[in-house]
Amino acid sequence: MTKTIDLKIEKLNLGAQGIGYINGKVCFVDFVIPGEEVKADIIVEKKDYNVARVVEIIKSSPARVEPLCSVFGLCGGCQMQHIDYNKQIELKREILIDTLRHIGKIEYSDIKVFYNQPWYYRNRAQLPVQKNKELKIGYFKKGTHEVVSHNICCINQKEINSVVEILRGRIKKSNIEIYNESRHKGNLRHIIVKRGTNTGQIFITFVTKEKTLPGILYTGLLNECKEIVGVSQNINTKRTNRIFGEKNIIISGNSFYEEILDGKRFQVGPTSFFQVNTRVFEQIIKKIKQEIQGPIVIDLYAGVGVIGICVAELCNKLIAIEENPNSVKEGINNANLNGVDNIDFIEGRVEDKICSVRECDTLIMDPPRKGVGESVIQYFKDMNVKKVVYLSCNPATLARDANLIIKNGYKIKNVYLFDMFPQTYHIESLTIFYNS
């Protein structure tokens, strides 16, 4: 029998779940707002916590709004559309402060917030394709690998939504077999649509299990939509959750699309990483440039070299370290494209290659969600780096790393929150440390 409880929501966690307490035991609830009082059914009961589902909102927050998307709550792409955007920003700031306090043992609340448009901002859509009785293209339902199909995503750029609809029509007309993840059978796995916000250029990638790809999927695409500059096929034969395989084939147009940032032109390939919110990334670049100090700069986890190339004019020498060989190749090309001749790219894992650098004044790092880790932090302490600029997409690993950085003699100068991902729980932040 389902157990129903009354619960007051105290705050949100890192996944934007509401937190309430039942006799001192924590209870997690989706799609609520701090201050609300709700009636909820317990759906998971564990020794240390419960998970509940709202059945009635007894006392609603004044920040509660009607979600823009018709599949919000079912699709796992967004978690905060029910919250007024100004409140979203306030809550993310509180979450960042709380995470620094509890995980990093750091008391820091003077966090400035930067943001841009809250809708239709994503410059990239990576969409799994499924077919049961009907074709489904969209993001996964929360906690599953079941696609929630929808025609308009309210956080993807409108031009990307339009291209997805063109592809949907072509896929329906083709005889391509849709990949079945549980059986590891079929062919078409994902479609990826990327767009240069400042150039309008669009690039499409079909991810398949097999080499065969019906011509109807791509023939004439560049003429049907003038913004499309290239189409590629990525072949992923493995039974894996990873989207991309190792082989990429250009089947129409260019092998890249272009984006302009900070007055510089970048060419981005099918599998290379590029920040998903161009407008907010421009604000980040501007802030990083204000923090560059000294003649030698290191850029860790450099990707295709965007940050490094943008700041290279402010130093004598910039060393960029990046693991992905394709990104290194594109980074070198982008440096040449922009006439930047004082940047050296080193290919390899940051943990393995940072020891090849002997001196550094300002160190920039933009690590993946797992963060940086102790070995890297210890090395830049030994190099006596004057300033560390840490761009983070995960408050938990930032807090862990910040604690280690501070223990190594650094102090926090500033923490900035950049809302790169409106309507979602994701938090992007920039923390500046200096050697005291």
Side-chain angles (χ1 to χ4, degrees):
M1 183 176 174
T2 303
K3 184 178 179 181
T4 303
I5 57 167
D6 289 342
L7 195 67
K8 181 175 181 181
I9 308 304
E10 305 292 342
K11 60 181 180 178
L12 298 188
N13 68 6
L14 277 170
Q17 289 179 300
I19 294 176
Y21 297 91
I22 313 163
N23 299 322
K25 186 178 179 181
V26 69
C27 184
F28 301 108
V29 194
D30 286 326
F31 311 123
V32 291
I33 306 171
E36 289 190 326
E37 296 174 11
V38 303
K39 196 176 288 293
D41 289 342
I42 294 178
I43 55 175
V44 176
E45 196 162 3
K46 299 286 186 180
K47 180 182 176 182
D48 298 324
Y49 68 92
N50 291 336
V51 179
R53 178 174 50 234
V54 171
V55 293
E56 181 186 348
I57 297 173
I58 300 168
K59 179 185 175 184
S60 179
S61 167
R64 180 169 286 274
V65 296
E66 190 68 26
L68 191 62
C69 179
S70 61
V71 294
F72 175 70
L74 186 62
C75 171
C78 295
Q79 301 80 35
M80 301 179 80
Q81 282 196 28
H82 62 294
I83 306 174
D84 174 77
Y85 186 56
N86 289 327
K87 185 67 174 179
Q88 286 185 38
I89 294 169
E90 179 186 321
L91 290 170
K92 287 186 178 184
R93 184 177 174 277
E94 290 173 4
I95 291 168
L96 182 54
I97 291 168
D98 196 51
T99 306
L100 288 172
R101 178 183 297 123
H102 285 96
I103 296 179
K105 312 303 179 190
I106 297 165
E107 290 292 338
Y108 193 94
S109 59
D110 186 23
I111 297 176
K112 301 173 183 67
V113 182
F114 297 83
Y115 56 94
N116 198 267
Q117 60 197 62
W119 303 104
Y120 302 110
Y121 60 86
R122 286 184 61 97
N123 58 30
R124 176 181 74 242
Q126 299 183 154
L127 302 172
V129 183
Q130 289 180 355
K131 188 173 184 180
N132 298 327
K133 293 181 179 179
E134 60 181 25
L135 179 70
K136 297 196 292 185
I137 301 172
Y139 294 108
F140 289 130
K141 183 178 179 180
K142 181 185 175 181
T144 75
H145 275 205
E146 178 188 343
V147 170
V148 177
S149 194
H150 52 94
N151 296 330
I152 297 174
C153 174
C154 299
I155 62 173
N156 288 337
Q157 292 182 6
K158 292 180 179 180
E159 296 84 355
I160 288 177
N161 286 334
S162 297
V163 169
V164 170
E165 285 309 294
I166 291 172
L167 299 181
R168 189 191 304 272
R170 286 175 173 247
I171 292 167
K172 285 181 177 178
K173 291 177 183 176
S174 76
N175 61 355
I176 192 166
E177 190 177 356
I178 305 303
Y179 180 70
N180 183 301
E181 184 180 1
S182 61
R183 293 169 52 225
H184 193 48
K185 300 288 185 182
N187 192 12
L188 183 62
R189 302 172 70 132
H190 280 78
I191 56 172
I192 291 109
V193 183
K194 300 181 177 183
R195 181 174 182 266
T197 304
N198 290 320
T199 63
Q201 294 184 10
I202 293 172
F203 195 96
I204 295 168
T205 301
F206 296 97
V207 181
T208 60
K209 180 173 174 282
E210 302 162 8
K211 189 174 181 179
T212 55
L213 190 70
I216 191 173
L217 292 182
Y218 58 86
T219 302
L221 261 179
L222 274 66
N223 291 326
E224 184 173 355
C225 179
K226 298 298 183 183
E227 289 76 22
I228 299 173
V229 296
V231 182
S232 76
Q233 178 188 7
N234 180 272
I235 301 172
N236 185 354
T237 61
K238 295 180 180 178
R239 193 168 201 154
T240 175
N241 290 337
R242 292 177 68 93
I243 294 176
F244 291 113
E246 294 178 2
K247 187 170 184 180
N248 211 75
I249 304 165
I250 304 303
I251 53 180
S252 184
N254 297 337
S255 60
F256 57 85
Y257 73 97
E258 292 188 321
E259 181 61 291
I260 295 172
L261 276 172
D262 192 41
K264 298 169 180 65
R265 186 171 290 269
F266 296 92
Q267 296 178 347
V268 186
T271 61
S272 290
F273 172 78
F274 197 90
Q275 294 284 3
V276 77
N277 189 326
T278 304
R279 292 287 173 255
V280 173
F281 191 39
E282 287 171 330
Q283 295 175 315
I284 292 172
I285 293 289
K286 183 177 179 181
K287 186 59 67 177
I288 290 175
K289 290 181 75 171
Q290 292 172 0
E291 296 294 343
I292 299 303
Q293 172 185 337
I296 301 176
V297 176
I298 300 177
D299 180 16
L300 303 182
Y301 314 94
V304 297
V306 178
I307 294 175
I309 289 167
C310 287
V311 306
E313 63 192 17
L314 302 174
C315 62
N316 295 339
K317 184 177 183 180
L318 191 139
I319 300 157
I321 303 177
E322 168 56 43
E323 182 177 0
N324 184 322
N326 289 329
S327 293
V328 170
K329 184 178 178 182
E330 289 176 28
I332 293 169
N333 177 65
N334 284 325
N336 293 332
L337 189 67
N338 290 283
V340 177
D341 57 7
N342 63 333
I343 182 168
D344 292 334
F345 278 86
I346 298 175
E347 181 185 324
R349 293 174 70 246
V350 165
E351 295 83 353
D352 299 331
K353 297 297 182 179
I354 191 172
C355 58
S356 65
V357 184
R358 298 298 177 211
E359 55 182 326
C360 171
D361 299 293
T362 299
L363 183 140
I364 304 165
M365 46 191 184
D366 180 13
R369 289 189 62 80
K370 66 179 182 179
V372 180
E374 195 167 359
S375 63
V376 175
I377 292 169
Q378 183 58 48
Y379 196 83
F380 70 66
K381 163 64 177 174
D382 294 342
M383 274 197 294
N384 197 30
V385 174
K386 296 181 181 69
K387 186 180 283 186
V388 177
V389 179
Y390 189 149
L391 183 60
S392 165
C393 61
N394 184 346
T397 52
L398 165 69
R400 179 203 67 198
D401 291 342
N403 178 276
L404 291 172
I405 292 169
I406 290 168
K407 283 181 178 177
N408 274 343
Y410 289 81
K411 292 181 179 177
I412 292 178
K413 177 190 173 189
N414 291 111
V415 181
Y416 306 101
L417 193 157
F418 290 89
D419 195 22
M420 184 86 79
F421 311 98
Q423 317 308 327
T424 81
Y425 63 75
H426 296 288
I427 296 175
E428 191 88 5
S429 62
L430 185 72
T431 305
I432 314 301
F433 301 89
Y434 66 96
N435 192 338
S436 56

